[in-house]
Amino acid sequence: MNDPTVPAVPFAEDPGAGAGPETAPDRPGRRRLLRGALAVAGAAALRPLAAATPAAAEPAEPAGSAASAAALVVRRFGRYEVLALLDAHGPFPGTAQAAFPDATATDWERARRLDPAAFGPGDTWELDFRCYAVRRPGGRVTLVDTGIGPVGSPASGWAPVPGRLPAVLARVGIDPADVETVVLTHLHEDHYGWSVTPEGVPVFPNARYVVQHAEVAALGPTRTARTYVVEPLLRADQLHEVDGHTVLGGRARPGGGAITLLPTPGHTPGHQSVLVDGGGDRLLLTGDVLVHAVQLASPSVRYLFEADPETARHSREQLLGEARRTGAVLGTAHLNRPFVRPWTPAGHTLPH
């Protein structure tokens, strides 16, 4: 998965070194389905969190509070410092069983052992909305996903906006202008929310926003992802489409030291994951290849909002198999633990 022959995005080197294209403009999208699930299965579940958050400001946590500590987890993978950045936390609309209709009692039992915080009252699914920053030698920053965004972002209809990503970045000394690359694993609204402002201004003015061509090509002309994020980034000349495996930073180095984009389609047509290979220490940023610990425990379990469940299952099994084979850590977007090891055939996660 770290093939030096794959294409490279022509960025600066470190110092010293839907199931297919949508054609019907009125086809129900994921956001509309989520809003429907929210209306049917518990809008009240989101109200306490939203009411506690000022509509026009970032959520504030007291210094040293548990919430403040949870917002940031830092680990080093060889030459890379990886920061897990919590944009938000809250309940998903509807029940966990409805979101994962094929999961068995055994699957849920295993999932509860892996991520007990995911299990809220009344079969609710509690999840994190997480982004990752990868700092390279010399201070250059690659940001993987941009969370749910501010009030007025497309995720506002179902997610606990506003997210706190700008405040968390400021806490670790990352100015938006410091971000050289934004990798969007896919174009769902809880992953691109802070890419642009509601007025269409790129939040990271010096970054190339990298997305798979297949992901953009699958968007119909009226899809929110196209009008809200793709078109503003095209106007700003900041959208960079890639095809397939792509090395960020110029080239893969012998013995590690590369960030590589890995196509993992199924959740969306052009979903991609990110391999951070620090040389001996490897991290796989999964995006939405798996969205709940039940898919970590049983990779065959489908998620209701996968565009192509069979392809998604194949991508998940391939990625988890690669992680087990290479000893890679998983960096997850929605589990309540940012860094986990893959579930093993013996029925437990490896130490991490």
Side-chain angles (χ1 to χ4, degrees):
M1 294 176 71
N2 190 13
D3 184 351
T5 65
V6 302
V9 173
F11 297 163
E13 287 290 327
D14 295 332
E22 181 182 354
T23 57
D26 59 348
R27 177 181 171 185
R30 175 175 178 269
R31 183 156 60 110
R32 191 181 308 171
L33 290 171
L34 285 168
R35 283 178 169 167
L38 179 61
V40 171
L46 290 179
R47 288 189 192 122
L49 191 150
T53 303
E58 297 305 319
E61 306 99 13
S65 70
S68 177
L72 173 67
V73 180
V74 182
R75 289 193 56 169
R76 180 163 288 280
F77 294 84
R79 65 203 299 269
Y80 299 112
E81 180 186 54
V82 179
L83 302 90
L85 310 170
L86 185 66
D87 191 40
H89 175 90
F92 193 79
T95 67
Q97 188 66 61
F100 304 95
D102 302 331
T104 67
T106 299
D107 296 332
W108 290 121
E109 180 184 354
R110 291 173 175 172
R112 190 180 290 272
R113 291 165 56 191
L114 291 169
D115 190 11
F119 294 82
D123 195 31
T124 55
W125 169 21
E126 296 281 338
L127 70 162
D128 285 350
F129 297 86
R130 188 178 296 107
C131 316
Y132 289 85
V134 182
R135 277 204 276 224
R136 296 186 277 161
R140 293 189 175 92
V141 175
T142 294
L143 184 64
V144 180
D145 286 333
T146 64
I148 61 174
V151 170
S153 71
S156 295
W158 63 276
V161 299
R164 69 187 74 175
L165 180 63
V168 180
L169 287 172
R171 185 185 309 164
V172 296
I174 297 176
D175 187 273
D178 297 335
V179 176
E180 179 185 54
T181 314
V182 175
V183 175
L184 296 175
T185 59
H186 62 297
L187 294 175
H188 278 168
E189 58 267 26
D190 55 322
H191 289 258
Y192 65 65
W194 288 108
S195 293
V196 299
T197 69
E199 295 73 33
V201 178
V203 171
F204 303 97
N206 299 324
R208 291 192 182 187
Y209 290 72
V210 183
V211 66
Q212 289 286 329
H213 172 74
E215 187 76 357
V216 177
L219 295 174
T222 63
R223 286 287 294 273
T224 301
R226 181 173 291 280
T227 58
Y228 187 87
V229 68
V230 169
E231 291 176 358
L233 292 176
L234 284 171
R235 288 193 295 268
D237 196 27
Q238 288 181 241
L239 188 71
H240 190 90
E241 297 181 32
V242 297
D243 278 308
H245 286 62
T246 303
V247 176
L248 299 180
R251 67 180 184 277
R253 296 170 174 81
I259 303 171
T260 306
L261 308 182
L262 310 174
T264 47
H267 181 75
T268 60
H271 188 284
Q272 61 186 346
S273 300
V274 181
L275 171 64
V276 180
D277 183 358
D281 298 315
R282 295 173 128 228
L283 171 68
L284 280 165
L285 299 176
T286 61
D288 278 2
V289 167
L290 59 94
V291 296
H292 190 289
V294 74
Q295 293 184 301
L296 183 59
S298 181
S300 63
V301 170
R302 69 182 174 96
Y303 173 46
L304 183 64
F305 296 107
E306 289 169 342
D308 183 339
E310 183 60 25
T311 300
R313 179 193 61 77
H314 178 73
S315 290
R316 190 159 46 250
E317 291 176 345
Q318 290 288 106
L319 196 73
L320 293 175
E322 178 70 10
R324 286 192 294 267
R325 185 183 67 81
T326 62
V329 173
L330 306 176
T332 66
H334 297 304
L335 273 64
N336 293 276
R337 297 161 56 196
F339 298 108
V340 299
R341 293 283 188 179
W343 179 266
T344 69
H348 59 275
T349 52
L350 299 172
H352 66 282

